[in-house]
Amino acid sequence: MKKLQPIRIIGLLTALFAFSTCTKLDEKIYSAVSQTNFYNNRQEVMAAVLRPFTHARAWATMQDRHGYWRLQELTADQQAWPQKGRHGYDGAQWIRQHYHEWTVTDRAIEEPWELIYWGIGFCNNTIRDLTDLDFTRIGMTEEEKASIIAETKVIRAWHYLKLMDLYGNIPIVTTVGEPANPPTRPRAEVFAFIEQELKDNVDLLPNLEPSLVGRVSKAAGYAMLAELYLNAEVWTGTPRWDDCIAACDKIINGECGGLNGPPALDTSILAPFSVTNHKSTENLFQIAYDYRASGDAPGYPAVFWHYRQRQIYNADRDGNNEWVVTPNAYDSYKDNDLRKQEWFLIGLQKKHPALRDPNNPADSIVLGTEEYANQPLVFVNNIRRNSEGENGEGGMTRGEENSGARFNKYRPGQVTDPDYLGNDFVVYRLTEIYFNKAEALMRKNNGVATQEAVDLINACRKRAFTDADWPTEAYTTSTLTMEELLAERGREFIFEGKRRSDMIRFGTFTTASWWDHQPSNPDKALFPIPQKQLAINPALKQNKGYD
């Protein structure tokens, strides 16, 4: 069982932090509680420090609500939420995301803004209160104070990084309640703010170690810098490849610690996402879950699972049958790629052995509930009305209950397992750092792979093939092109909330076609400032193309 402080300590503050979503960047979370009579011990200090981390579950992870992760995936080329018969139309919002036709009033655009600024509000309150708090009064040291405030500033910078990624030009708010109407800041200015916050504080953080699961360590801070610099050319117009490489090297060289000894690529393609992934050698920063200890479970079952999927895993819940893998994404994997075999469900679905009647072979099959009610459930690599004899590519309104390959990257274990549904959501892992460095090396070299870049990608990719297949699957400096690097990033990081940003950086987000999606307007590389926010804050300016 995990022993995660972020999970257990936060229950102390449930009533204190209960308030409605901020739509005016109103951050007066502690308005009725003074620091003098609230922060009386280490546990109360840590509860405030950890609140942004548990809040991040709402917007950064696989939750069944609008957030950063959802926009990163549903607008890109690997996943979709098609209508399936009588289910999933939902006002056509998922259709609009798929075709890049969102509006300034879509809830999918409004809620990520609200949720991420809400998290920034938690950070700002904590920084304000702890800056003025006498730590010696509660038995803590000034060194601890400096580290805790640095951690809160780094997690706040991560919030701003994700906001900047989605919306571009955004307000910067660091003081509770000031200004009343924060103005839009240019993206380059926001970038500079984030960079400075990270650089000023990252080396004040502790090295990653097992007790810091779910917390921001030096490894997480440098991973944020690597992401910032990798996207610098898109976000500011100026490439920062050398800075990206330097940040990656800090992690790769072991200078930032690791969860289970020095950071190392996991030998298993499943281990970084398992119910014990808090022990993974390659995970650098994750949003912590411990269902057994807290009752809080990751949200992937609701998002990805079929109505009868509990039978596949011997779980205690079913899903809403929402997201599916686009046919082109599934087809991008070779048949001998172990990721294709392990990270997806396709074909006839069978019950978990614990649920089968050994005397009745027919009882081993999971049955459908809609178009295929009481018939074997067979996931197919297309999205169309097969039950009505439809052929062709189908479309976003043409799905059925069994359409598309399905998510199997994170697995829950059995309901009887001690770590059931204990998967932490991985934000950064060492594999991404290898990919980031390789990409920076290639871009420095005019898009041509260097041997070092090839070695980095091959170290990650090798896990996806058997020893017998590997000699013909390894990249060389001639086969690892920029186009192939983007494709391999897609195969490796599917479901991880990276794809939209990757496609933008490679110039394909608004120019490429996939499945039934056609190229869109270049302005769609940014989302609009929500109309609700423009109405209440006259200092905000709308993004180009949404006026």
Side-chain angles (χ1 to χ4, degrees), residues 496-513:
E496 296 186 43
K498 315 286 183 184
R499 190 58 176 171
R500 168 186 161 272
S501 299
D502 286 348
M503 293 183 72
I504 290 172
R505 199 171 59 256
F506 280 79
T508 62
F509 183 68
T510 62
T511 63
S513 300

Side-chain angles (χ1 to χ4, degrees), residues 33-40 128-134 137:
V33 183
S34 73
Q35 57 168 257
T36 303
N37 58 32
F38 178 72
Y39 296 106
N40 294 304
R128 177 197 64 183
D129 286 354
L130 298 190
T131 297
D132 296 333
L133 182 67
D134 180 0
R137 180 179 63 82

Side-chain angles (χ1 to χ4, degrees), residues 160-177:
Y160 274 114
L161 188 155
K162 298 306 182 183
L163 271 171
M164 177 183 64
D165 184 8
L166 296 179
Y167 302 102
N169 308 314
I170 57 173
I172 300 173
V173 181
T174 60
T175 303
V176 177

Side-chain angles (χ1 to χ4, degrees), residues 373-394:
N374 300 316
Q375 300 178 51
L377 179 64
V378 180
F379 292 136
V380 295
N381 186 34
N382 55 65
I383 304 171
R384 63 190 182 211
R385 302 294 296 174
N386 292 311
S387 65
E388 299 170 4
E390 182 176 351
N391 295 308
E393 70 178 12

Side-chain angles (χ1 to χ4, degrees), residues 488-499:
E488 184 64 8
R489 283 191 77 103
R491 289 186 286 264
E492 181 64 30
F493 299 110
I494 192 168
F495 307 119
E496 296 186 43
K498 315 286 183 184
R499 190 58 176 171

